[in-house]
């Protein structure tokens, strides 16, 4: 019965939009799955000891390369996506290789990636003649005469977007599972504990770290592309910079980075928190969400390091009755 629960849950999720849950709940569900995919990409690195504050850069590259390619030269998102992936891979390599080669780890690695995220945001703002600067930019729409365009990856029906994002989210969970069950995970866990000892037994530290970084960065880039196309609007504060990177870190830690569905639970938690703050305070208090993310991040690290889902599963495990043999022993 327990093995059937995930499949039943997936079936319920797949049919939920068909029972008329409403436009706003459907929008929130799409957002949870989309950010759940992005957070899952971050957790592939984070759970293996590589805490990155630079994933906002990869999200921004995915969003802006596709939108600018479409707006400036009429390049369809299907062609803009591989270009964005190549650029993301190059940036991730240029940042990751020197860090891993010269053993820049821990807080120092986090600071390097933090600089990458902020530099990307400032670059987007500086190129305002092409990117719209801090005001953002909207992809040129082709939905005036039609309800959808597969070439432009634009759909007016949220139901179509739901199933696209659902498929991508499932693909993200599959990647997480493959990495989790691979020998590379065991090697990277050894590296996170003692890098020199791992290298002394023949583990190629730089190659393994770089490969996981590339997988994580490319997943985040895909999330940026989908976010831009779904929202039909991007600006540097929503897809790059310190704020969005902090949101990723907080969401994954809050949900539970060591559990496959933990990042998705974290995405639901952060979105509900953001919506609650918006309803209570509106836009009158700038950077309030980032401040609360930072404070709650510290509290989660101290009091709930395994996150919401990880902590709940651990509590359920403790409540299970011991086998008769174990009790008598």
């Amino acid at each position: 019965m327990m093995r059937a629960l995930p499949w039943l849950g997936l079936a319920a999720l797949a049919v939920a939009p068909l029972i008329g849950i409403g436009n706003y709940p459907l929008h929130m569900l799409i957002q949870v799955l989309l950010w759940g995919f992005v957070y899952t990409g971050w957790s592939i690195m984070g759970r293996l000891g590589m805490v990155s504050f630079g994933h906002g850069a990869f999200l921004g590259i995915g969003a802006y390369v596709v939108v600018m390619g479409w707006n400036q030269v009429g390049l369809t998102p299907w062609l803009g996506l591989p270009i964005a992936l190549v650029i993301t891979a190059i940036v991730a390599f240029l940042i990751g290789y020197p860090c891993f080669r010269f053993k820049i780890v821990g807080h120092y690695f986090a600071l390097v990636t933090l600089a990458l995220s902020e530099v990307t945001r400032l670059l987007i703002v500086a190129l305002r003649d092409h990117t719209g600067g801090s005001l953002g930019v909207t992809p040129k729409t082709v939905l005036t005469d039609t309800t959808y365009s597969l070439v432009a990856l634009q759909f007016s029906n949220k139901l179509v977007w739901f199933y696209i994002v659902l498929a991508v989210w499932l693909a993200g969970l599959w990647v997480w599972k493959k990495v989790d069950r691979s020998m590379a995970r065991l090697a990277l866990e050894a590296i996170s504990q003692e890098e020199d000892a791992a290298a002394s037994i023949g583990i190629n530290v730089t190659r393994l770290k770089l490969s996981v970084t590339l997988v994580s960065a490319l997943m985040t880039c895909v999330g940026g592309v989908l976010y831009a196309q779904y929202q039909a609007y991007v600006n540097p504060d929503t897809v790059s910079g310190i704020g969005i990177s902090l949101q990723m870190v907080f969401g994954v830690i809050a949900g539970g980075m060591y559990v496959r569905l933990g990042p998705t639970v974290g995405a639901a938690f952060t979105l509900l928190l953001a919506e609650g703050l918006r309803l209570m305070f509106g836009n009158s208090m700038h950077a309030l969400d980032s401040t609360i993310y930072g404070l709650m991040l510290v509290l989660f690290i101290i009091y709930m390091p395994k996150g919401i889902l990880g902590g709940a599963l651990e509590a359920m495990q403790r409540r299970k009755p011991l086998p008769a043999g174990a009790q008598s022993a």
Side-chain angles (χ1 to χ4, degrees):
M1 180 62 182
M2 292 298 293
R3 292 183 178 180
L5 283 178
W7 296 105
L8 292 174
L10 178 59
L13 178 63
V15 301
L18 302 176
I19 60 176
I21 61 174
N23 210 35
Y24 180 71
L26 180 57
H27 166 71
M28 291 300 295
L29 194 55
I30 293 171
Q31 290 276 68
V32 167
L33 293 177
L34 179 53
W35 285 110
F37 171 77
V38 173
Y39 292 0
T40 299
W42 187 93
S43 70
I44 289 176
M45 275 184 69
R47 71 191 299 268
L48 295 171
M50 292 176 283
V51 178
S52 167
F53 285 95
H55 273 50
F58 307 133
L59 193 78
I61 290 171
Y64 271 91
V65 166
V66 170
V67 172
M68 291 301 97
W70 175 252
N71 284 1
Q72 302 291 335
V73 296
L75 198 65
T76 172
W78 297 103
L79 295 177
L81 173 60
I83 295 173
L85 290 174
V86 169
I87 295 173
T88 296
I90 292 172
V91 172
F93 179 85
L94 292 176
I95 291 296
Y97 182 79
C99 288
F100 303 144
R101 180 69 178 81
F102 298 107
K103 298 182 181 180
I104 299 174
V105 296
H107 303 91
Y108 300 103
F109 178 72
L111 288 174
V112 170
T113 56
L114 183 66
L116 170 66
S117 187
E118 189 62 12
V119 165
T120 303
R121 187 189 70 83
L122 293 174
L123 185 62
I124 292 171
V125 174
L127 297 174
R128 60 177 58 88
D129 292 338
H130 303 285
T131 63
S134 58
L135 297 177
V137 64
T138 301
K140 292 180 180 177
T141 182
V142 294
L143 297 182
T144 53
D145 300 322
T146 181
T147 57
Y148 70 92
S149 172
L150 190 60
V151 173
L153 200 60
Q154 296 178 10
F155 310 97
S156 60
N157 189 345
K158 280 186 169 53
L159 193 62
V160 177
W161 274 114
F162 171 78
Y163 288 111
I164 291 174
V165 174
L166 177 63
V168 173
W169 175 71
L170 290 173
L173 296 183
W174 178 82
V175 173
W176 194 98
K177 178 181 176 181
K178 286 295 182 181
V179 173
D180 184 61
R181 296 188 177 182
S182 68
M183 292 299 293
R185 180 185 68 83
L186 299 176
L188 283 164
E189 285 185 348
I191 291 169
S192 67
Q193 296 297 321
E194 183 52 63
E195 188 169 313
D196 291 332
S200 69
I201 60 174
I203 296 176
N204 191 325
V205 175
T206 301
R207 181 173 61 83
L208 281 174
K209 280 188 169 184
L210 194 57
S211 62
V212 170
T213 299
L214 287 172
V215 170
S216 179
L218 292 175
M219 286 179 65
T220 307
C221 175
V222 172
V225 172
L226 289 174
Y227 179 85
Q229 294 302 119
Y230 172 66
Q231 294 283 21
Y233 170 75
V234 289
N235 73 52
D237 291 322
T238 57
V239 295
S240 63
I242 297 173
I244 197 68
S245 296
L246 179 62
Q247 179 185 322
M248 290 185 204
V249 178
F250 168 68
V252 174
I253 292 177
M257 73 170 74
Y258 301 104
V259 188
R260 199 189 322 180
L261 290 177
T264 305
V265 172
F269 179 73
T270 53
L271 284 170
L272 289 174
L273 177 62
E275 283 297 295
L277 292 174
R278 184 182 64 83
L279 291 174
M280 285 190 293
F281 301 105
N283 297 320
S284 59
M285 302 182 69
H286 298 292
L288 177 64
D289 53 348
S290 297
T291 303
I292 292 179
Y293 289 153
L295 291 174
M296 294 190 70
L297 179 60
V298 174
L299 294 176
F300 268 99
I301 291 173
I302 296 173
Y303 298 107
M304 198 181 290
K306 293 187 178 180
I308 297 170
L309 185 58
L313 292 175
E314 186 180 49
M316 290 173 61
Q317 196 68 28
R318 286 200 302 264
R319 292 181 62 183
K320 280 186 178 180
L322 292 173
Q327 289 178 347
S328 61

